[in-house]
Amino acid sequence: MSSYILSLHDRIRTLGTPALVGLDPRWDLLPDEVRCQAAAAGGSGVEIQARAFEAFCCRLIDVIADLVPAVKPQVAFFERLGPAGMVSVQNVIRYARNRQLMVIADAKRGDIGSTATAYADAWMAGADPNGAVFAANAVTVNAYMGVDTLQPFVDAAVQRQAGVYVLVRTSNPGAGDFQDLETHGQPLYATVADAVQQLNSEHWPNQAYGSIGAVVGATWPEQLRQLRRRMPSAPLLVPGFGSQGGTAADVVGAFAADGSGALINSSRDINFAWHRRQSSEQFGEARWEDAVLAATQEMISALKGAAVD
Amino acid sequence: MSSYILSLHDRIRTLGTPALVGLDPRWDLLPDEVRCQAAAAGGSGVEIQARAFEAFCCRLIDVIADLVPAVKPQVAFFERLGPAGMVSVQNVIRYARNRQLMVIADAKRGDIGSTATAYADAWMAGADPNGAVFAANAVTVNAYMGVDTLQPFVDAAVQRQAGVYVLVRTSNPGAGDFQDLETHGQPLYATVADAVQQLNSEHWPNQAYGSIGAVVGATWPEQLRQLRRRMPSAPLLVPGFGSQGGTAADVVGAFAADGSGALINSSRDINFAWHRRQSSEQFGEARWEDAVLAATQEMISALKGAAVD
């Protein structure tokens, strides 16, 4: 297996779960306490929000760091706050890595040639936390522009023991608009999947998994099962579990027979667990971290049955 | 026409050219003078580079502001420098707008639901320079995830008189890997183009142009001609002119009969004009701004024959 995947599998095995927690900070959903504390330190609106995002994510990381193998910060929410938000996401990534979490930056970048290289250099630190300004282990990318546009990310994965997750079949309702279009007798997403498998065979030949993963939504259990078989060497990142509707039964197909090969992501249901009715009654906002802990444990336990191990 | 396009066409008409200058700062290609001045002010490596990028881009803007209607900063090169780079791109965008240039942030973002909204909020200031933390008039986006993922960008375009350019047929050698795959008797890019046209018809009915544009590479003249006809209401952004090989003859097909409907982009040939042999002999590095001016004038003059006016 590639070194990125060795490290990831090691974490998954040690903790006994493929649960991935998305970090999706949203100002209107943060606990009042976090917002007020950030506001008390002053500054502009975006500075206050950025400070709150960082505090919230780091406290959330403290709750989950010993339970799950990895986190997935959603870059868009930080980017919306400008440079102050980018400082936050930089700090959150560092904080997570110091807590031994693997970090997948959900940035969905993609461009041509030297521009793609710049994105890979920005986000793919890989094994060495000083390897990039945003020190993630892996990044999500969009392949619409062509296989040549993936190459700089693949090169970075090889050189820095980093990972890449290519969007194949996404979790949103309109995912099929283009991804399902039939091309040469198979849907477009299958052609993208073949390119992902090919990159793994080429760069990590004769290995169980390469470093080029694929994003396949939990909301499409049948495609998930097909795509697991179609890309045997690709680690999967499966979003859409929880608030988007994916269940543990839906993600069974994401795993190989030995239970390896996939990370299952939940973001909102964990980040804002205390907003859920039952959780809100049990914990209330003041105990939001307890709600996060309970939601994470609940997810881990739901997934126990899904990943055969 | 939509207000974004009215403003853009007004600038194009006033200046008499559809030339768009990409801002692609790259440390190894910057003039020594700019690098040394940035280094003299001290700080970390990325801070020095970010300062140099900003100084270079602002000086370049001073040269071209009265000649071309718009600039297109390539976000990746700034992002690679982390928060310091994001401060630079923020300042460069503001500086360009203060010089009356329209700004298209080349960020190629794309995601689902509230995440896409966050990207639109980050980059699409539209008519009001205070409308977003990165104050661009328009942004480039990737539609692979589905038409529903474009909606937040469309909403922002409507609400803030901003523009969106959807990747349709890109300029890179491997563009055809997925974009050319035949789906229901037509290439994928044509299906994406139809979605773009549909969004314009829906939101700006009975108008010459809507605010949802398309990126179509100058390196594919035949597809450019087809796509101009296929998306009559979509403003085109045509990269690949100059260093990527596109010529004035190649981009003729990008324009409607009245010469409207497209911006033609050149980045490296203008940014680093003094690195080109002839220009290097004529100006040398010390006169890099004169080389930029000459290259811009040369492009404008080459395009005179292309856009029928």
Side-chain angles (χ1 to χ4, degrees), chain A:
Chain A
M1 289 192 273
S2 74
S3 358
Y4 165 69
I5 293 299
L6 274 177
S7 311
L8 181 61
H9 277 198
D10 190 46
R11 286 276 303 168
I12 292 174
R13 224 178 357 252
T14 305
L15 295 163
T17 181
L20 170 68
V21 175
L23 304 174
D24 285 28
R26 296 175 56 179
W27 179 253
D28 53 331
L29 297 176
L30 293 187
D32 279 341
E33 169 222 347
V34 173
R35 290 194 285 205
C36 294
Q37 210 164 348
S44 69
V46 290
E47 281 164 359
I48 290 168
Q49 288 193 40
R51 192 182 298 126
F53 281 16
E54 183 175 333
F56 174 73
C57 290
C58 291
R59 284 172 65 177
L60 196 149
I61 286 167
D62 283 339
V63 175
I64 63 171
D66 297 331
L67 299 176
V68 301
V71 290
K72 179 178 77 64
Q74 173 46 261
V75 176
F77 296 122
F78 296 93
E79 191 167 305
R80 188 181 171 283
L81 304 178
M86 301 313 273
V87 170
S88 282
V89 73
Q90 195 178 36
N91 291 342
V92 167
I93 292 172
R94 272 202 217 107
Y95 192 84
R97 292 199 62 161
N98 285 339
R99 295 296 314 256
Q100 313 311 319
L101 285 158
M102 306 275 288
V103 178
I104 301 169
D106 197 355
K108 300 190 176 69
R109 299 303 194 245
D111 211 306
I112 70 175
S114 57
T115 315
T117 303
Y119 281 131
D121 287 351
W123 294 100
M124 294 172 67
D128 172 11
N130 298 314
V133 68
F134 300 107
N137 296 89
V139 69
T140 55
V141 306
N142 188 319
Y144 179 76
M145 299 182 83
V147 179
D148 59 339
T149 69
L150 294 179
Q151 198 57 50
F153 295 100
V154 174
D155 292 343
V158 171
Q159 287 154 18
R160 299 199 285 272
Q161 305 175 23
V164 177
Y165 292 90
V166 178
L167 300 178
V168 171
R169 185 64 167 75
T170 56
S171 59
N172 53 308
D177 290 345
F178 304 122
Q179 298 163 31
D180 283 3
L181 290 175
E182 195 157 300
T183 60
H184 304 302
Q186 64 184 37
L188 172 62
Y189 69 73
T191 307
V192 178
D194 291 346
V196 168
Q197 177 60 24
Q198 173 61 30
L199 287 168
N200 285 312
S201 309
E202 202 175 301
H203 294 276
W204 293 273
N206 309 314
Q207 297 186 43
Y209 294 99
S211 295
I212 314 304
V215 175
V216 185
T219 43
W220 315 101
E222 188 43 40
Q223 285 93 335
L224 191 51
R225 194 176 295 275
Q226 285 166 17
L227 287 165
R228 170 70 294 161
R229 283 196 298 264
R230 193 163 196 121
M231 297 178 282
S233 315
L236 301 185
L237 190 174
V238 183
F241 184 89
S243 64
Q244 285 184 56
T247 65
D250 291 332
V251 301
V252 171
F255 300 96
D258 66 354
S260 69
L263 281 171
I264 311 299
N265 181 75
S266 177
S267 303
R268 204 180 313 178
D269 266 9
I270 290 180
N271 287 227
F272 307 113
W274 74 98
H275 286 291
R276 288 153 69 192
R277 200 179 56 82
Q278 210 183 342
S279 187
S280 148
E281 282 163 10
Q282 194 180 350
F283 300 106
E285 183 170 310
R287 291 181 59 206
W288 68 269
E289 284 148 307
D290 293 331
V292 163
L293 176 63
T296 307
Q297 286 168 332
E298 191 186 306
M299 180 191 184
I300 290 169
S301 143
L303 288 176
K304 280 271 184 248
V308 184
D309 209 352

Side-chain angles (χ1 to χ4, degrees), chain B residues 1-5 124 151 153-164 196-213 233 235:
Chain B
M1 290 192 274
S2 74
S3 358
Y4 166 68
I5 293 300
M124 295 172 66
Q151 198 57 50
F153 295 100
V154 174
D155 293 344
V158 171
Q159 287 155 18
R160 300 199 285 271
Q161 305 175 25
V164 178
V196 168
Q197 177 60 23
Q198 173 61 29
L199 288 169
N200 284 312
S201 310
E202 203 175 300
H203 294 277
W204 293 273
N206 308 315
Q207 298 186 43
Y209 295 99
S211 295
I212 314 305
S233 315

Side-chain angles (χ1 to χ4, degrees), chain B residues 19-76:
Chain B
L20 170 67
V21 175
L23 303 175
D24 285 27
R26 296 174 56 179
W27 179 253
D28 53 331
L29 297 176
L30 293 186
D32 278 342
E33 170 222 346
V34 172
R35 289 195 286 207
C36 294
Q37 210 164 348
S44 70
V46 291
E47 281 164 0
I48 290 168
Q49 288 193 40
R51 193 182 296 127
F53 281 15
E54 184 175 333
F56 174 74
C57 290
C58 291
R59 285 173 64 178
L60 196 150
I61 285 167
D62 283 340
V63 175
I64 62 169
D66 297 332
L67 299 176
V68 300
V71 291
K72 178 178 79 63
Q74 173 46 262
V75 175

Side-chain angles (χ1 to χ4, degrees), chain B:
Chain B
M1 290 192 274
S2 74
S3 358
Y4 166 68
I5 293 300
L6 274 177
S7 311
L8 182 62
H9 278 198
D10 191 44
R11 287 275 303 168
I12 293 174
R13 224 175 1 249
T14 306
L15 296 163
T17 181
L20 170 67
V21 175
L23 303 175
D24 285 27
R26 296 174 56 179
W27 179 253
D28 53 331
L29 297 176
L30 293 186
D32 278 342
E33 170 222 346
V34 172
R35 289 195 286 207
C36 294
Q37 210 164 348
S44 70
V46 291
E47 281 164 0
I48 290 168
Q49 288 193 40
R51 193 182 296 127
F53 281 15
E54 184 175 333
F56 174 74
C57 290
C58 291
R59 285 173 64 178
L60 196 150
I61 285 167
D62 283 340
V63 175
I64 62 169
D66 297 332
L67 299 176
V68 300
V71 291
K72 178 178 79 63
Q74 173 46 262
V75 175
F77 296 121
F78 296 93
E79 190 167 306
R80 188 182 170 281
L81 304 179
M86 300 313 273
V87 170
S88 282
V89 73
Q90 196 178 35
N91 291 341
V92 167
I93 292 172
R94 270 202 218 108
Y95 192 84
R97 292 199 62 162
N98 285 339
R99 296 296 314 258
Q100 312 311 319
L101 285 158
M102 305 275 288
V103 178
I104 301 169
D106 197 355
K108 299 190 176 71
R109 298 302 194 248
D111 211 307
I112 70 175
S114 58
T115 315
T117 303
Y119 280 131
D121 287 350
W123 294 100
M124 295 172 66
D128 172 11
N130 298 315
V133 68
F134 300 106
N137 296 90
V139 70
T140 55
V141 306
N142 189 320
Y144 179 76
M145 299 181 83
V147 179
D148 59 339
T149 69
L150 294 179
Q151 198 57 50
F153 295 100
V154 174
D155 293 344
V158 171
Q159 287 155 18
R160 300 199 285 271
Q161 305 175 25
V164 178
Y165 291 90
V166 178
L167 299 179
V168 170
R169 185 63 168 76
T170 56
S171 60
N172 53 308
D177 290 345
F178 304 123
Q179 298 164 30
D180 283 3
L181 289 176
E182 196 158 298
T183 59
H184 304 303
Q186 64 184 37
L188 173 62
Y189 69 74
T191 306
V192 178
D194 291 346
V196 168
Q197 177 60 23
Q198 173 61 29
L199 288 169
N200 284 312
S201 310
E202 203 175 300
H203 294 277
W204 293 273
N206 308 315
Q207 298 186 43
Y209 295 99
S211 295
I212 314 305
V215 175
V216 185
T219 43
W220 316 101
E222 188 42 41
Q223 285 93 334
L224 190 51
R225 195 176 294 275
Q226 287 167 15
L227 287 166
R228 171 69 294 162
R229 283 196 298 264
R230 194 163 195 121
M231 297 178 281
S233 315
L236 301 185
L237 191 174
V238 183
F241 184 89
S243 65
Q244 285 184 55
T247 66
D250 291 334
V251 300
V252 171
F255 300 95
D258 66 355
S260 70
L263 282 171
I264 310 298
N265 181 75
S266 176
S267 303
R268 205 180 313 178
D269 266 9
I270 289 179
N271 287 227
F272 307 112
W274 74 98
H275 285 292
R276 288 153 70 192
R277 201 179 56 80
Q278 211 181 343
S279 187
S280 148
E281 281 162 11
Q282 193 181 348
F283 301 107
E285 182 170 310
R287 290 180 59 206
W288 69 269
E289 284 148 307
D290 293 330
V292 163
L293 176 62
T296 306
Q297 286 167 333
E298 191 187 305
M299 180 191 183
I300 291 169
S301 144
L303 288 176
K304 280 273 184 247
V308 185
D309 209 353

